[in-house]
Amino acid sequence: MTQWHLEAPIERIWEALVAPEEWPRWWRYVEAVVELEKGDAQGIGALRRYTWSSRLPYRLSFEMRTTALARPTCIEGVATGDLTGTGCWQLRDLGKTTRVQYTWTVTTGKGWMNLLAPILAPVFAWNHDQVMREGGRGVAQHLAVALLAFQGSGARDQVSAAGSSGRPSRER
């Protein structure tokens, strides 16, 4: 699970997250997002192929089908490919700020990762946190707002000297 706290209204964050084809422009490590199927008028059933790099020297590709959208608070999907499972974005309006939580419950489809997972699980979690931290920084920069806090699956609280907007911020 990852949490971002952003100094932006919920609608601005929603618009950035609901347009994943734009993510490679602002999210380091997102190499490509390709729409394969449109889905219905609300976007339910849309299928996209995601290709990600990471801090570690490997790449992951998977397809994600949108299974639920509740504007502006929830985006859910099911992944298949190098990763299989579910992902859920939950946004909470805090007035002038927004708390974003992403829950990613997946297994890997790569044999070498499955073989090494008992030993490298902490490294994989660290890597995921790095990718997600860059997402928080990227969306903040994209929207010209501050990333007030970041919390990853295994991250300790950290204080940052400056947020994405150049103003003091607190990252978790």
Side-chain angles (χ1 to χ4, degrees):
M1 182 170 31
T2 300
Q3 291 186 28
W4 302 333
H5 185 193
L6 294 149
E7 189 175 43
I10 194 169
E11 282 292 335
R12 291 196 66 210
I13 306 301
W14 171 265
E15 290 301 327
L17 293 177
V18 82
E21 288 82 8
E22 297 298 314
W23 293 1
R25 298 178 69 186
W26 54 262
W27 192 333
R28 181 179 178 194
Y29 303 124
V30 180
E31 291 187 357
V33 180
V34 177
E35 185 176 71
L36 304 175
E37 296 175 19
K38 278 256 188 241
D40 68 13
Q42 289 76 40
I44 306 289
L47 181 66
R48 294 174 178 92
R49 179 175 299 118
Y50 294 78
T51 303
W52 296 76
S53 63
S54 71
R55 291 283 302 261
L56 298 176
Y58 64 83
R59 178 175 283 110
L60 295 170
S61 291
F62 56 89
E63 293 180 358
M64 188 94 174
R65 184 170 303 276
T66 304
T67 57
L69 286 167
R71 184 182 190 105
T73 59
C74 177
I75 305 167
E76 294 180 4
V78 174
T80 58
D82 289 344
L83 298 172
T84 300
T86 60
C88 179
W89 292 101
Q90 294 178 304
L91 288 72
R92 188 167 50 140
D93 185 354
L94 300 174
K96 294 182 181 182
T97 69
T98 302
R99 172 109 28 214
V100 178
Q101 179 175 295
Y102 188 65
T103 305
W104 188 225
T105 309
V106 293
T107 57
T108 177
K110 289 189 175 265
W112 71 268
M113 290 180 98
N114 292 335
L115 182 66
L116 297 174
I119 299 165
L120 295 181
V123 175
F124 293 152
W126 170 85
N127 190 57
H128 176 77
D129 286 349
Q130 298 303 305
V131 169
M132 294 304 290
R133 181 183 302 274
E134 289 301 322
R137 287 179 179 155
V139 74
Q141 184 175 0
H142 173 66
L143 298 175
V145 301
L147 174 61
L148 301 172
F150 168 84
Q151 184 175 16
S153 56
R156 297 180 318 180
D157 286 358
Q158 298 179 339
V159 176
S160 171
S164 301
S165 67
R167 295 180 300 217
S169 69
R170 174 165 167 74
E171 279 192 50
R172 285 203 284 184

